[in-house]
Structures are given as C-alpha cells and as structure tokens.
Amino acid sequence: MPKMKTNRAAAKRFKATGTGKLKRNKAYKRHILTKKTTKNKRNLRKATTVDASNVKNMKKILPYL
C-alpha cells in the first residue's frame, strides 16, 4: 500500500488543535474593508474550527494531521 499524499494547499491553511479539531482562519478579510465595521473586522481576525459537516473530507485530504 503506497503512502497517502497530503493536499499541500490544505496543509498550509489548517492546523490541528490538541483535541484533534481543525483550526482555520476566517474569510472576507482581504479587501473591500472600508464598508465593513470595525467590530466585524476584529472578529474576522480570530481563528475558528472547521464545521462538523466538512471534517470528514478534511481528514481525508490531511491524513497525517
């Protein structure tokens, strides 16, 4: 059985927490920031966990995480 390959694009964007959950950064923080409120932009800075509906696919493309 050959080794499984990690999706390198995903590996750069996701990290595992101590309990095994996947951590990700939020979207919508790159441009068109003038119309977004300061509170909204501040909340976009924080990392969050990957939704449960996506975890199965994420574990498949990140087998060694």
Side-chain angles (χ1 to χ4, degrees):
M1 192 70 182
K3 290 192 275 188
M4 293 174 71
K5 283 197 173 184
T6 297
N7 181 306
R8 297 313 295 164
K12 292 166 189 173
R13 289 167 172 81
F14 300 94
K15 298 280 177 264
T17 63
T19 55
K21 292 179 182 175
L22 291 173
K23 195 167 68 169
R24 68 169 178 86
N25 287 322
K26 293 181 183 174
Y28 308 111
K29 187 69 171 62
R30 295 292 177 195
H31 60 99
I32 316 174
L33 298 173
T34 50
K35 63 177 77 170
K36 293 169 188 158
T37 64
T38 308
K39 182 181 179 181
N40 191 2
K41 289 184 279 192
R42 184 168 62 244
N43 288 332
L44 289 172
R45 280 185 220 144
K46 301 169 187 168
T48 186
T49 55
V50 172
D51 191 70
S53 60
N54 297 322
V55 168
K56 187 179 176 186
N57 286 330
M58 295 307 302
K59 295 284 186 182
K60 194 179 288 185
I61 64 174
L62 298 166
Y64 302 107
L65 196 62

